[in-house]
Amino acid sequence: MKAIGIDLDSDVIKLCIMSKNKDLISMKSLDVRDIPNSDVKKIYMPYKDTFLITSALDASDVMIKGTDFHVKNSFFIKKAIKFHEESITTLDADKIITATINLKNESKLKIFITTKELLIKHLSSLKHINIDPDRVTSISQALIRFVNFYFKDIKNSFLVHISKSKTTCILMKDNQPIKTYSIKIGTNKLLNSNEDEKRSKNSKIDISKLNNKSKLKTHLNHLKKEIEKSFIYFCKSEEEKHPLIITGDISSFSNISEFLQNDKVTKIIKNPFLEKKVEYKKFAICIGLSLDALKKDSLSLQFRKQEFTPNKKIENIGKKTLFLTLVILVFCFLINLGSNHLLKEKESFLQQRLNFVINSENSYLGIQKKDVFNNFYADLKAFEKKLEIENKNFPYILNTPSVSETLNWLNNHEYLKDAEITSFNYVLEKFPTAFTKNDPYLAKIDIEIKTKKPALARSFYDSLSKGQGLVNLSHKISWKTKDDSYRAAFYLKNTKNLK
């Protein structure tokens, strides 16, 4: 992935392309009036890698607000941030866009606010030259990124960026923009006011040697005064002072940093590398935008959200959703295919077992008939029906509750939960034999229980007397009491009567 920072400065578009390793690949400056709609894209479209385009709103178009924030529970953080965003300004919530940075270590929120109208205007100016940025941040944030990259040890400073149409002043504290101020004086106005511009077009203008009555010196003095005012506004305490870092389109001037120094500035900070690569200062915003896109961390801003979400992001979400849907469909198809295969194998195995049982029965009974097997479920249903018919006339299948079923019923009986079963006896008093095939099964239960609650024992006896559960009322029920022990004798119902 490559990051592209785009800065629209007056009638010039500055563009910087940076690799994911933060290596500068290209920096270009083009006159917007001379650019056909497709030319800007030709600068970066040849790269086969994916690219992320970032642009920035003017510092004067973004309001910065700070507030304390002590919410630590991740479940409430989003709701709490949204509440602060809505309450921190009196502007209509439907007309603004906010981007918030949560400074967890400082327990503070940094809220950046712009209007939808300004964002639409910014996007329209880029659309005019056929650019649709993936991210829109603030110039103040871009310059902070630039300073953090080339001045790693500097956390607090005054930043001054002189572009063609304006000068942007920023107070940076703890690597964060605190206040910003824009001055409508840029290099275009300064150079146009130089009487000797034509003669010294290719040479630097030494500010220290300018005539105090010259128009250029007047504009420079005005710019210096405005910058000093902004610093006083930033730091109202006389004791608070900070170093100064100057960037921008200042290659036409020499000694400009020293000229702009004032009482609020402790010193002017220069980077030896940037002093050799003066062009980097000119593209400071573009470079900062590329760095911000590559970092894409909790300190990054994004104003393109809600109805301003980039088309590329919407398309990517659509593609990912489609891909995920296809993966799920393929996965379900494979599961269905595997399940059907396993089911067929199980059916085949059961069909073989069923065939074996039927053939074994026919062989044992001496039946010469050869069965034809077609469908497992039809064959199984026919075999079950045959067994059901045969079992009706077969007396040797127990049709009264078994011992385990009876014990299970007694253990779960509502009146025996607090009682102890001290004795249990299950006896088949009658059952069919080879000589008495028509005799029914008759099971008798003798049970002794022990409980300190006579009421429970009485309730148990009442339930027996009413024929509840497995009790057969057609036979005698006996009940004997001795101290806290109770003995009962009763007969079990036929299983057909339980259904």
Side-chain angles (χ1 to χ4, degrees):
M1 185 190 78
K2 290 180 173 59
I4 300 172
I6 290 180
D7 176 28
L8 193 57
D9 182 13
S10 184
D11 54 355
V12 172
I13 181 169
K14 296 171 186 174
L15 182 144
C16 162
I17 303 174
M18 186 174 282
S19 71
K20 63 181 180 181
N21 296 322
K22 300 182 179 66
D23 296 323
L24 275 173
I25 297 173
S26 175
M27 292 187 299
K28 292 185 182 294
S29 181
L30 305 168
D31 194 319
V32 175
R33 294 168 296 186
D34 299 332
I35 301 175
N37 285 345
S38 59
D39 274 9
V40 175
K41 283 194 173 183
K42 286 181 181 179
I43 298 173
Y44 56 85
M45 286 298 284
Y47 295 102
K48 294 181 181 179
D49 293 8
T50 56
F51 47 85
L52 191 64
I53 303 174
T54 307
S55 64
L57 293 169
D58 286 344
S60 57
D61 292 340
V62 179
M63 182 166 51
I64 303 173
K65 294 277 190 177
T67 182
D68 293 332
F69 189 73
H70 300 285
V71 178
K72 301 296 181 183
N73 191 324
S74 58
F75 182 78
F76 297 105
I77 281 180
K78 286 186 177 180
K79 290 184 178 179
I81 289 176
K82 187 176 180 181
F83 171 78
H84 280 287
E85 288 176 344
E86 292 174 351
S87 61
I88 204 166
T89 176
T90 56
L91 296 173
D92 187 350
D94 294 330
K95 295 182 180 180
I96 62 171
I97 291 283
T98 59
T100 303
I101 295 174
N102 184 6
L103 303 173
K104 296 180 181 179
N105 294 334
E106 302 175 30
S107 296
K108 289 184 178 180
L109 290 180
K110 189 75 65 176
I111 302 174
F112 297 79
I113 306 166
T114 190
T115 64
K116 292 181 179 180
E117 183 181 353
L118 289 171
L119 182 57
I120 291 170
K121 183 179 177 182
H122 173 75
L123 293 174
S124 298
S125 63
L126 291 174
K127 188 178 181 180
H128 180 68
I129 50 177
N130 202 23
I131 293 176
D132 183 35
D134 300 291
R135 298 177 67 255
V136 174
T137 181
S138 166
I139 281 180
S140 62
Q141 200 71 359
L143 289 172
I144 294 287
R145 291 290 196 188
F146 178 84
V147 171
N148 289 344
F149 189 75
Y150 289 103
F151 302 86
K152 299 185 186 299
D153 298 328
I154 304 300
K155 292 187 176 182
N156 303 325
S157 177
F158 292 124
L159 310 181
V160 173
H161 181 82
I162 305 174
S163 57
K164 288 186 174 295
S165 59
K166 60 186 174 298
T167 296
T168 303
C169 301
I170 302 168
L171 172 62
M172 180 182 77
K173 284 187 178 181
D174 295 323
N175 295 323
Q176 285 296 314
I178 303 300
K179 295 178 182 178
T180 64
Y181 184 73
S182 289
I183 303 166
K184 293 181 179 180
I185 300 175
T187 53
N188 282 346
K189 188 172 185 178
L190 295 175
L191 291 174
N192 289 336
S193 64
N194 183 26
E195 298 86 356
D196 301 322
E197 181 184 0
K198 292 182 181 179
R199 182 172 54 82
S200 58
K201 191 173 183 180
N202 296 321
S203 59
K204 282 191 175 186
I205 300 171
D206 190 344
I207 295 176
S208 62
K209 296 180 180 179
L210 284 175
N211 189 327
N212 290 331
K213 294 182 180 181
S214 68
K215 195 174 181 181
L216 174 58
K217 191 64 178 285
T218 301
H219 285 313
L220 283 168
N221 286 330
H222 180 57
L223 175 62
K224 180 179 180 179
K225 189 175 181 180
E226 288 297 314
I227 291 174
E228 187 174 3
K229 281 182 181 179
S230 69
F231 291 175
I232 294 170
Y233 162 70
F234 292 161
C235 306
K236 294 179 180 179
S237 170
E238 293 184 5
E239 290 76 19
E240 187 178 357
K241 299 180 179 182
H242 299 288
L244 173 66
I245 298 174
I246 297 179
T247 59
D249 192 10
I250 54 176
S251 56
S252 299
F253 303 94
S254 60
N255 299 316
I256 190 167
S257 298
E258 289 74 13
F259 174 76
L260 295 177
Q261 190 170 8
N262 55 66
D263 292 339
K264 279 287 183 179
V265 176
T266 56
K267 61 179 178 178
I268 296 171
I269 301 175
K270 295 184 180 181
N271 184 317
F273 174 78
L274 294 178
E275 294 306 310
K276 293 179 181 179
K277 300 279 187 178
V278 182
E279 196 76 359
Y280 281 40
K281 292 184 180 181
K282 179 181 177 181
F283 288 87
I285 292 175
C286 296
I287 294 171
L289 290 173
S290 298
L291 290 168
D292 190 62
L294 290 171
K295 283 201 175 237
K296 209 175 181 180
D297 55 16
S298 60
L299 301 180
S300 298
L301 300 180
Q302 170 62 304
F303 287 114
R304 293 212 69 177
K305 52 188 178 180
Q306 300 170 13
E307 66 264 40
F308 299 101
T309 302
N311 292 328
K312 189 193 294 185
K313 185 175 181 179
I314 296 173
E315 289 173 4
N316 288 337
I317 292 172
K319 289 177 182 177
K320 288 178 181 178
T321 304
L322 179 62
F323 176 74
L324 184 61
T325 303
L326 290 174
V327 169
I328 292 172
L329 289 175
V330 171
F331 182 69
C332 292
F333 173 76
L334 291 175
I335 289 177
N336 184 57
L337 194 66
S339 300
N340 287 338
H341 177 71
L342 291 174
L343 187 60
K344 290 292 182 186
E345 285 189 347
K346 190 68 175 176
E347 284 180 9
S348 178
F349 173 74
L350 293 174
Q351 180 76 63
Q352 292 175 9
R353 300 297 296 173
L354 180 61
N355 297 347
F356 175 76
V357 170
I358 294 173
N359 289 331
S360 297
E361 184 183 39
N362 290 341
S363 176
Y364 179 77
L365 299 174
I367 300 174
Q368 299 298 323
K369 178 186 175 183
K370 191 174 182 180
D371 290 298
V372 179
F373 303 105
N374 297 316
N375 179 275
F376 167 70
Y377 295 103
D379 295 341
L380 181 62
K381 189 173 182 180
F383 187 66
E384 286 178 341
K385 190 174 181 180
K386 175 175 174 290
L387 289 177
E388 187 179 348
I389 293 170
E390 291 176 352
N391 286 341
K392 285 182 179 179
N393 302 317
F394 190 74
Y396 303 116
I397 296 177
L398 182 67
N399 60 7
T400 192
S402 65
V403 175
S404 60
E405 289 172 331
T406 306
L407 284 172
N408 184 55
W409 169 65
L410 289 170
N411 285 330
N412 293 302
H413 201 286
E414 60 177 319
Y415 298 125
L416 297 181
K417 290 181 179 178
D418 294 328
E420 179 186 357
I421 300 175
T422 57
S423 175
F424 172 82
N425 189 37
Y426 181 104
V427 178
L428 282 175
E429 288 191 348
K430 285 186 179 182
F431 52 88
T433 66
F435 305 103
T436 56
K437 292 183 179 180
N438 295 324
D439 283 357
Y441 283 94
L442 186 62
K444 183 181 180 182
I445 302 298
D446 283 301
I447 182 173
E448 185 178 345
I449 63 173
K450 190 174 182 180
T451 179
K452 294 181 179 180
K453 298 178 180 178
L456 287 178
R458 184 64 189 177
S459 297
F460 176 62
Y461 172 67
D462 289 342
S463 71
L464 295 178
S465 302
K466 293 176 183 177
Q468 294 179 0
L470 304 182
V471 182
N472 189 344
L473 283 179
S474 60
H475 294 275
K476 182 181 177 182
I477 299 172
S478 65
W479 180 263
K480 293 181 181 180
T481 304
K482 185 180 179 182
D483 297 331
D484 57 351
S485 294
Y486 305 87
R487 180 177 289 275
F490 57 91
Y491 291 86
L492 299 178
K493 291 178 181 177
N494 189 290
T495 51
K496 290 183 179 178
N497 297 329
L498 294 174
K499 294 180 180 179

